[in-house]
Amino acid sequence: CFYLMLASLPVFVAGLTEDLTKTVGIKWRLLSAFLSGILFVLLFEIDAIRLDVFYLDALLQNPWAVLLFLGFAIAGVSNAYNIIDGFNGLASMVGIISLCAIAHVGLQVGDALVTTTALLAIAAITGFFLWNYPRGLIFLGDSGAYLIGFIIACLSILLVVRHATVSPWFALMVNAYPIFETLFTMWRRTVHQGISMGLPDGAHFHSLIYRRVMRWIHH
C-alpha cells in the first residue's frame, strides 16, 4: 500500500493543484499520471506483462516497452475516471463496482495485497459517496477522480502480473465503461466536432442519459 500511495503522489498533486488553482492543463495532468505509472512499474519491479496477443507479448518482454506501455495505460485509465466524473456519485460508484470485482478476483487467487488495498479503497470511497450523492455536499475533484482511476489501474495490473490464472483482458473489462467513454470522447471532439480533446462539453454518455431521463420525466 505504501508503494502504491507513493507512486500516486504526482497525479494526485497535479489534480489537487488543478482543483485549487484551475491552472493545470490536461497535458500536465496526463504527464503527471504517466509519471505516476512509471513510478508504480519501477517500485513494483514489473519488467514483463502479457496481453495474450502473440506479437505484443513478445514485445512486452522488454522492460523499456513495459515501462512505456503501462505508464501510458495507467495514465489513460486515471484520466478515464476523471472524464466520467460528471454527476454526483457516478465516478465514485463506478470505482466501487470496479474495486469489488478486483477484490473478488484477488480473494479467489489469494492475493492479500490486492484484496486488502481494494477493500480499503472501497471503504474510503463509500464514505465519500454517502456525502456526495445525490446532493453533492462534497466533491471528488480532479484529485479524487485521478486517484481512484490510478489505484484501480494499478490493482488490475498487479492481478495480471502476479497471477497467470487471471486473464489480461480482465483489466480491460473491469474498466470498460470509463475506457469506452474516453475513446468515444476523443473521437467525438477531434473527428466529429473538430475541437481540442481537452475542451469540456456536455455530450458525455452520462449527460445524454440524463437529458433523456429528464425529458421523459417532464413529459
Side-chain angles (χ1 to χ4, degrees), residues 105-163:
V105 174
L107 192 61
Q108 285 188 318
V109 297
D111 195 317
L113 172 64
V114 170
T115 304
T116 303
T117 305
L119 291 175
L120 287 172
I122 290 169
I125 299 170
T126 301
F128 163 83
F129 177 83
L130 295 175
W131 288 95
N132 179 254
Y133 182 84
R135 300 180 62 186
L137 299 178
I138 57 176
F139 293 96
L140 193 60
D142 285 0
S143 55
Y146 274 110
L147 182 61
I148 289 174
F150 175 80
I151 291 173
I152 291 173
C154 292
L155 294 181
S156 302
I157 290 168
L158 284 178
L159 280 177
V160 174
V161 170
R162 290 152 65 110
H163 304 282

